[in-house]
Amino acid sequence: MSFSFTNPEPDRDDGRSFSFTGPDSADIEQQLQAITGMAHEILRRVEEVRRQLSN
Protein backbone atom coordinates (compact mmCIF):
# COMPACT_ATOMS: atom_id res chain seq x y z
CA MET A 1 0.00 0.00 0.00
CA SER A 2 1.21 3.51 -0.67
CA PHE A 3 0.11 6.83 0.75
CA SER A 4 0.60 10.26 -0.71
CA PHE A 5 -0.60 13.83 -0.43
CA THR A 6 -2.11 15.24 -3.58
CA ASN A 7 -1.38 18.79 -2.39
CA PRO A 8 1.08 18.71 0.52
CA GLU A 9 1.51 22.48 0.99
CA PRO A 10 0.87 22.99 4.73
CA ASP A 11 -0.56 26.53 4.55
CA ARG A 12 -3.22 25.61 1.98
CA ASP A 13 -6.27 23.80 3.19
CA ASP A 14 -8.32 24.09 0.02
CA GLY A 15 -8.17 20.99 -2.10
CA ARG A 16 -5.79 19.04 0.10
CA SER A 17 -6.49 15.36 0.00
CA PHE A 18 -4.89 12.00 0.54
CA SER A 19 -4.41 9.17 -1.88
CA PHE A 20 -4.25 5.51 -0.88
CA THR A 21 -3.39 2.80 -3.34
CA GLY A 22 -2.93 -0.88 -2.86
CA PRO A 23 -3.63 -4.29 -4.33
CA ASP A 24 -6.86 -4.82 -2.40
CA SER A 25 -9.33 -1.98 -1.89
CA ALA A 26 -11.10 -3.92 0.90
CA ASP A 27 -7.80 -4.10 2.80
CA ILE A 28 -7.32 -0.35 2.38
CA GLU A 29 -10.87 0.27 3.64
CA GLN A 30 -10.19 -1.92 6.68
CA GLN A 31 -6.98 -0.03 7.45
CA LEU A 32 -8.77 3.32 7.09
CA GLN A 33 -11.45 2.12 9.51
CA ALA A 34 -8.74 1.13 12.00
CA ILE A 35 -7.12 4.57 11.64
CA THR A 36 -10.50 6.23 12.17
CA GLY A 37 -11.08 4.18 15.30
CA MET A 38 -7.67 5.11 16.68
CA ALA A 39 -8.27 8.80 15.92
CA HIS A 40 -11.59 8.72 17.77
CA GLU A 41 -9.93 7.05 20.76
CA ILE A 42 -7.15 9.66 20.78
CA LEU A 43 -9.71 12.48 20.71
CA ARG A 44 -11.69 10.85 23.51
CA ARG A 45 -8.57 10.59 25.67
CA VAL A 46 -7.52 14.16 24.91
CA GLU A 47 -10.96 15.34 26.04
CA GLU A 48 -10.63 13.27 29.21
CA VAL A 49 -7.23 14.81 30.01
CA ARG A 50 -8.54 18.32 29.33
CA ARG A 51 -11.46 17.68 31.66
CA GLN A 52 -9.09 16.46 34.39
CA LEU A 53 -6.80 19.46 33.97
CA SER A 54 -9.65 21.94 34.21
CA ASN A 55 -10.92 20.46 37.50
Side-chain angles (χ1 to χ4, degrees), residues 15-32:
R16 279 192 295 181
S17 62
F18 303 98
S19 174
F20 290 91
T21 58
D24 183 5
S25 62
D27 184 48
I28 292 171
E29 183 62 31
Q30 183 179 8
Q31 290 179 10
L32 289 173

Side-chain angles (χ1 to χ4, degrees):
M1 179 171 83
S2 69
F3 170 81
S4 65
F5 291 96
T6 57
N7 185 3
E9 297 176 27
D11 48 333
R12 295 183 71 183
D13 57 7
D14 59 328
R16 279 192 295 181
S17 62
F18 303 98
S19 174
F20 290 91
T21 58
D24 183 5
S25 62
D27 184 48
I28 292 171
E29 183 62 31
Q30 183 179 8
Q31 290 179 10
L32 289 173
Q33 289 297 322
I35 291 168
T36 300
M38 288 184 274
H40 286 161
E41 180 64 15
I42 289 167
L43 292 173
R44 186 189 68 75
R45 289 179 185 225
V46 166
E47 180 59 31
E48 183 180 320
V49 168
R50 285 182 178 167
R51 194 171 32 250
Q52 290 173 1
L53 290 174
S54 67
N55 289 336

